[in-house]
């Protein structure tokens, strides 16, 4: 168990800002820094019979890039990925809001 925790801590130390902001890339003579929303989680459990299990997962959504220019870095959003994330969120939120209104009206 101690080795698992040490291995996990070793791997997680490399995440953080480096996972959200990628290495700068030169494109057409302009330096571009990719930006992503990175999220991960882990879980585990056991029962009375010494059966145990666990798992983990993560996701990365590209939000856009920072482009260097004359006036400093400028953020350019990735509209397609933002829409892909926002449309389901807004759909679920609007349905939840409609149900809340129905409960309040009663």
């Amino acid at each position: 168990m101690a080795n698992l925790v040490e291995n996990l801590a070793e791997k997680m130390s490399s995440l953080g800002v480096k996972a959200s902001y990628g290495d700068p890339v030169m494109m057409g003579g302009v330096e571009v820094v990719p930006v992503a929303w990175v999220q991960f989680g882990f879980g585990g459990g056991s029962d009375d019979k010494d059966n145990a299990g666990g798992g983990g997962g993560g996701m990365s959504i590209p939000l856009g890039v920072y482009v260097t220019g004359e006036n400093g870095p400028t953020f350019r959003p990735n509209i397609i990925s933002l829409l892909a994330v926002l449309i389901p969120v807004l759909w679920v939120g609007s349905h939840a809001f409609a149900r809340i209104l129905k409960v309040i009206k009663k």
Side-chain angles (χ1 to χ4, degrees), residues 59-74:
M59 68 173 193
S60 177
I61 299 172
L63 297 178
V65 294
Y66 277 104
V67 178
T68 58
E70 297 173 2
N71 300 327
T74 305

Side-chain angles (χ1 to χ4, degrees), residues 8-86:
L8 189 58
E10 198 174 294
K11 291 186 188 310
M12 298 310 288
S13 66
S14 65
L15 295 175
V17 173
K18 195 70 171 166
S20 295
Y21 296 93
D23 293 326
V25 178
M26 292 298 288
M27 293 181 69
V30 178
E31 187 178 44
V32 176
V33 179
V35 180
W37 174 26
V38 179
Q39 187 174 2
F40 52 90
F42 300 93
S46 65
D47 61 10
D48 295 337
K49 298 176 185 173
D50 292 332
N51 294 323
M59 68 173 193
S60 177
I61 299 172
L63 297 178
V65 294
Y66 277 104
V67 178
T68 58
E70 297 173 2
N71 300 327
T74 305
F75 183 73
R76 301 260 175 97
N78 181 348
I79 301 298
I80 294 171
S81 70
L82 290 175
L83 286 175
V85 170
L86 287 178

Side-chain angles (χ1 to χ4, degrees), residues 81-104:
S81 70
L82 290 175
L83 286 175
V85 170
L86 287 178
I87 289 173
V89 169
L90 291 175
W91 185 83
V92 169
S94 65
H95 283 280
F97 186 69
R99 288 182 182 217
I100 290 170
L101 286 179
K102 283 182 183 179
V103 169
I104 290 174

